[in-house]
């Protein structure tokens, strides 16, 4: 394994990280650096909300809010750029990012993607310019991730050509709705459409919630959710509707419409298929949450690495105190997480490009795979943020617990990201179900001979796992026989190991579910741990492959060599964390498993001199790193 260059300029890494939207990232960085904004520390809820609203108004004067809207309505027509710009806001106060995301991503995005021409003409410019502030009213007290069974109703009255929006009970109250408690004047309300006595599934309606004077509109009940664990600059509220009447054209009717006489029509057959098509158009928010979680993670790691380079603790025998980043234990706290942050960044970059390039009328299979990838990476990004920010806080000791040093705020603000835009555990099931669908389709297309061969391979694989004498599965280990150290750093071996794990876990889940008896739910529920693992290892494989692709795009040889080593650390740390599975299933020998631990230690030591370079390459504006614990002295 060649040695790393002694010094790598972080400016050679930044363009690789910035990727396709490098110019936009540079522009947003410069704009953020020019603003006087700092993290609010010690503000009460009302003061924080007012500050964020002022910042939102300032942001509205730029071209960032309109990037994702059609050019015909003053937008930029740049979906990927819009997501990237929200991701960049994650370097600062996350309340601003969330409030901006609600206004322009969720509220405006719903109007754009679920509405039609008249809605676009009437609302999009006003939403972009903050002339109309709005909410995205989907989640209910009784139903969060299970959107299909929301209880709010919108019943059509043909005599007046109006929909009657109603909250039938407490469980149907719209809950945790951003912009509702203070600033929103309208809401895109998701409700069960009923016409001629027949329920046609969940649809979206534009509903006024405040009058021109800021008071609740007739029939609308607004409650303030009050202080939260974090994100207190966002005015989350509850909404309930007491037979609120809205005109027929309040229905955002791209996927379903109601004629004046109450006749329902849709370009998509089947209520379930129409529902999932409608939800599939709204994945930008999910992608943005994952990207913003990544930005917060980068910020936490930058603070922790900079602190670890200056903080000294305990002395060597010669009396000199040791910089804490020189301790292997401290390196292991931060550097594998830093490597995985790089990996997730590159995977997120590929996801944003796929979102940008996928046409709204793309084949259903392509749309489904995009939705699955968006769900999986949101899970990976947000769980990684939760774990890494906590580690960064601990790595800074008592200093990391002081609000002035920013880490407590990052920890509090990102905690809810694991349930924003879909609960992570539910989303992992969505990923796994998509994989199982693909798997089933592929299996059904096999010839009888191929089917028999598949069954035989499953039996042989089970036998191999029970045979202690077999060191590792041939398909993986024969790639790099011999010296364990050389094998561990072979990229083909790493990729094959991740691919093999995914294939094996998925085949195992499919095998269990194929045996479903008279109660398929009980069978699925009993296999849920296996299902969730299938989703996780699938995303692990995608993330590693994205890192490898990014290295191939790096033109600078020194930067490329450094990224190669960072990729090694990411891959081997992942294998180390899942050594039990690899050992149980014969993918690693005991000796090679121990060698993985040694290799992670070696990589941490080799990358320690480059830790500052790696975090500086994120290009976070310096005022967002202004923590007193980093002051000279």
């Amino acid at each position: 394994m060649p040695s790393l260059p002694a010094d790598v300029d972080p400016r050679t890494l930044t363009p690789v990280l910035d990727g396709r939207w490098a110019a936009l990232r540079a522009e947003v960085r410069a704009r953020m650096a020019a603003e006087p904004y700092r993290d609010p520390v010690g503000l009460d809820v009302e003061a924080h909300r007012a500050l964020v609203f002022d910042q939102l108004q300032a942001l509205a004067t730029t071209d960032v809010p309109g990037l994702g809207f059609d050019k015909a309505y003053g937008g930029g027509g740049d979906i990927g750029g819009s997501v990237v710009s929200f991701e960049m806001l994650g370097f600062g106060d996350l309340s601003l990012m969330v409030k901006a995301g609600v206004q322009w991503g969720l509220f405006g995005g719903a109007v754009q993607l679920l509405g039609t021409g008249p809605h676009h003409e009437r609302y999009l410019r006003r939403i972009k310019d903050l002339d109309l502030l709005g909410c995205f009213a989907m989640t209910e007290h009784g139903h969060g991730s299970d959107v299909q069974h929301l209880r709010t109703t919108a019943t059509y009255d043909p005599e007046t050509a109006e929909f009657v929006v109603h909250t039938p009970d407490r469980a149907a109250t719209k809950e945790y709705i951003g912009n509702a408690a203070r600033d929103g004047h309208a809401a895109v309300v998701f409700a069960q459409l009923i016409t001629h006595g027949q329920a046609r599934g969940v649809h979206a309606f534009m509903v006024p919630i405040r009058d021109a004077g800021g008071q609740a509109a007739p029939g609308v009940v607004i409650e303030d959710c009050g202080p939260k664990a974090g994100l207190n600059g966002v005015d989350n509220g509850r909404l309930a509707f007491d037979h609120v009447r809205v005109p027929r054209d309040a229905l955002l009717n791209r996927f379903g419409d109601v004629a004046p006489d109450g006749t329902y029509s849709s370009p998509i057959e089947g209520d379930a298929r129409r529902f999932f098509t409608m939800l599939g158009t709204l994945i930008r928010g999910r992608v943005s949450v994952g990207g913003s979680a990544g930005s917060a993670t980068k910020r936490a790691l930058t603070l922790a690495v900079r602190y670890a380079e200056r903080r000294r603790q305990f002395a060597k025998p010669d009396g000199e105190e040791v910089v804490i980043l020189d301790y292997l234990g401290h390196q292991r706290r931060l550097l594998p997480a830093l490597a995985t942050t790089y990996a997730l960044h590159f995977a997120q970059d590929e996801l944003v490009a796929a979102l940008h390039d996928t046409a709204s009328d793309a084949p259903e299979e392509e749309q489904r795979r995009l939705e699955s990838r968006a769900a999986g990476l949101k899970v990976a990004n947000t769980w990684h943020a939760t774990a890494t920010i906590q580690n960064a806080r601990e790595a800074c000791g008592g200093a990391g617990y002081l609000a002035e040093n920013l880490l407590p705020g990052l920890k509090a603000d990102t905690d809810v990201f694991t349930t924003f835009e879909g609960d992570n555990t539910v989303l992992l099931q969505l990923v796994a179900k998509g994989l199982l669908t693909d798997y089933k389709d592929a299996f059904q297309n096999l010839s009888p001979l191929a089917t028999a061969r598949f069954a035989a391979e499953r039996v042989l694989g089970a036998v191999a796992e029970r045979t202690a004498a077999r060191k590792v599965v041939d398909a993986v280990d024969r790639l790099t026989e011999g010296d364990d150290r050389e094998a561990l750093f072979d990229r083909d071996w790493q990729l094959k190991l991740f691919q093999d794990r995914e294939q094996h876990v998925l085949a195992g889940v499919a095998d269990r579910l194929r045996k479903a008896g008279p109660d398929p739910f009980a069978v699925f529920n009993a296999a849920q741990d296996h299902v969730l693992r299938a989703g996780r290892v699938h995303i692990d494989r995608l993330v590693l492959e994205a890192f490898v692709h990014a290295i191939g795009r790096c033109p600078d040889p020194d930067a490329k060599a450094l990224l190669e080593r960072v990729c090694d650390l990411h891959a081997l740390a992942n294998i180390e964390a899942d050594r039990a599975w690899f050992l149980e299933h014969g993918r690693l020998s005991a000796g090679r498993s121990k060698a993985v631990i040694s290799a992670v230690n070696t990589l941490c030591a080799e990358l320690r001199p480059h830790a500052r370079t790696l975090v500086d390459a994120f290009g976070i504006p310096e005022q967002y790193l202004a923590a007193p614990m980093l002051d000279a002295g």
Side-chain angles (χ1 to χ4, degrees), residues 13 96 100 113 164 168 177 186 261 273 334 375 411 414 424 450 457 472 492 505 517 543 556 567 593 625:
L13 291 169
L96 175 60
L113 296 169
V164 182
I177 307 303
D261 67 355
R273 184 167 171 237
L334 299 178
K411 187 171 179 290
T414 56
N424 279 1
E457 288 173 353
V472 285
D492 287 339
V505 172
V543 169
D556 184 270
C567 186
S593 177
L625 301 170

Side-chain angles (χ1 to χ4, degrees), residues 533-566:
R533 173 176 278 276
R536 284 197 302 270
V537 298
H538 170 68
I539 296 304
D540 284 347
R541 192 260 301 171
L542 290 181
V543 169
L544 178 58
E545 289 179 350
F547 204 151
V548 174
H549 298 158
I551 293 171
R553 298 193 303 269
C554 181
D556 184 270
D558 287 349
K560 188 171 186 177
L562 180 56
L563 287 174
E564 290 278 11
R565 201 73 90 254
V566 175

Side-chain angles (χ1 to χ4, degrees), residues 14 16-18 25 29 84 87-88 90-91 290-306 337-338 340-349 381 384-385 388-389 392 407 410 414 611-612 614-620 624-625:
T14 301
V16 186
L17 287 162
D18 284 356
R25 289 182 187 273
R29 269 194 201 97
V84 166
E87 176 186 320
M88 296 291 288
F91 284 147
S292 299
S295 294
T297 306
K298 293 166 193 169
R299 192 178 180 204
L301 283 167
T302 302
L303 290 165
V305 166
R306 289 188 178 188
L338 180 55
T340 296
T341 300
Y342 264 72
L344 287 168
H345 174 94
F346 293 129
Q348 175 76 10
D349 208 38
N381 270 308
H384 179 65
T388 301
I389 293 170
L407 289 166
L410 285 173
T414 56
R612 178 64 181 264
L614 290 169
V615 296
D616 285 353
F618 295 141
I620 302 172
Y624 297 107
L625 301 170

Side-chain angles (χ1 to χ4, degrees), residues 33-371:
E35 296 289 351
Y37 303 144
R38 299 280 292 275
D39 280 60
V41 175
L43 288 183
D44 63 34
V45 170
E46 287 308 313
H48 194 179
R49 288 177 177 179
L51 175 65
V52 168
F53 183 71
D54 289 344
Q55 294 173 350
L56 191 76
Q57 289 181 308
L59 191 59
T61 64
T62 72
D63 57 358
V64 168
L67 279 173
F69 292 160
D70 293 339
K71 293 182 179 179
Y73 308 105
D78 185 356
I79 295 170
S82 173
V83 173
V84 166
S85 67
F86 284 122
E87 176 186 320
M88 296 291 288
L89 288 178
F91 284 147
D93 181 3
L94 288 166
S95 285
L96 175 60
M97 183 281 298
V98 170
K99 194 169 178 73
V102 169
Q103 173 67 18
W104 294 304
L106 295 179
F107 177 58
V111 172
Q112 180 180 7
L113 296 169
L114 301 181
T116 52
H119 301 111
H120 299 163
E121 289 283 353
R122 190 179 312 160
Y123 297 120
L124 286 183
R125 285 185 183 273
R126 295 181 61 203
I127 292 170
K128 179 179 74 71
D129 296 336
L130 283 193
D131 183 45
L132 176 64
L133 277 95
C135 315
F136 184 83
M138 178 181 283
T139 299
E140 293 181 356
H141 184 74
H143 288 87
S145 296
D146 187 9
V147 178
Q148 198 167 10
H149 294 100
L150 297 177
R151 292 176 55 80
T152 300
T153 58
T155 305
Y156 185 67
D157 180 355
E159 293 188 4
T160 61
E162 293 175 318
F163 286 98
V164 182
V165 180
H166 184 60
T167 303
D169 51 46
R170 175 76 176 92
T173 300
K174 297 297 181 181
E175 187 84 57
Y176 208 77
I177 307 303
N179 273 353
R182 181 181 184 270
D183 297 323
H185 278 250
V188 170
V189 177
F190 290 79
Q192 301 285 351
L193 190 158
I194 300 170
T195 182
H196 290 326
Q198 183 176 0
R200 306 306 306 224
V202 173
H203 290 64
F205 301 81
M206 179 69 87
V207 180
I209 62 170
R210 283 185 172 86
D211 60 24
Q215 299 302 307
V220 178
V221 178
I222 303 175
E223 297 178 11
D224 194 326
C225 288
K228 307 180 293 290
L231 298 175
N232 280 306
V234 184
D235 52 321
N236 294 96
R238 302 181 184 93
L239 297 174
F241 307 93
D242 183 6
H243 298 91
V244 174
R245 288 181 171 267
V246 295
R248 184 174 67 90
D249 61 6
L251 170 64
L252 300 180
N253 59 343
R254 177 182 173 188
F255 296 113
D257 205 359
V258 174
D261 67 355
T263 302
Y264 181 83
S265 62
S266 173
I268 301 174
E269 287 188 28
D271 290 351
R273 184 167 171 237
R274 180 172 56 253
F275 168 76
F276 287 111
T277 300
M278 177 184 75
L279 282 194
T281 64
L282 301 175
I283 65 170
R284 291 187 204 175
R286 190 167 287 164
V287 176
S288 296
V289 167
S292 299
S295 294
T297 306
K298 293 166 193 169
R299 192 178 180 204
L301 283 167
T302 302
L303 290 165
V305 166
R306 289 188 178 188
Y307 183 75
E309 285 198 326
R310 63 184 301 108
R311 179 79 160 101
R312 293 180 179 272
Q313 192 75 279
F314 303 109
K316 293 188 286 188
D318 62 7
E320 182 183 1
E321 286 191 310
V322 180
V323 173
I324 60 175
L325 194 53
D326 287 343
Y327 289 110
L328 174 62
H330 210 81
Q331 293 165 11
R332 271 185 162 270
R333 267 183 166 175
L334 299 178
L335 298 187
L338 180 55
T340 296
T341 300
Y342 264 72
L344 287 168
H345 174 94
F346 293 129
Q348 175 76 10
D349 208 38
E350 285 192 354
L351 172 62
V352 172
L355 174 67
H356 183 85
D357 295 336
T358 300
S360 59
D361 57 352
E364 185 175 341
E365 182 179 350
E366 185 179 348
Q367 293 277 8
R368 190 181 72 220
R369 287 180 178 165
L370 177 63
E371 293 164 30

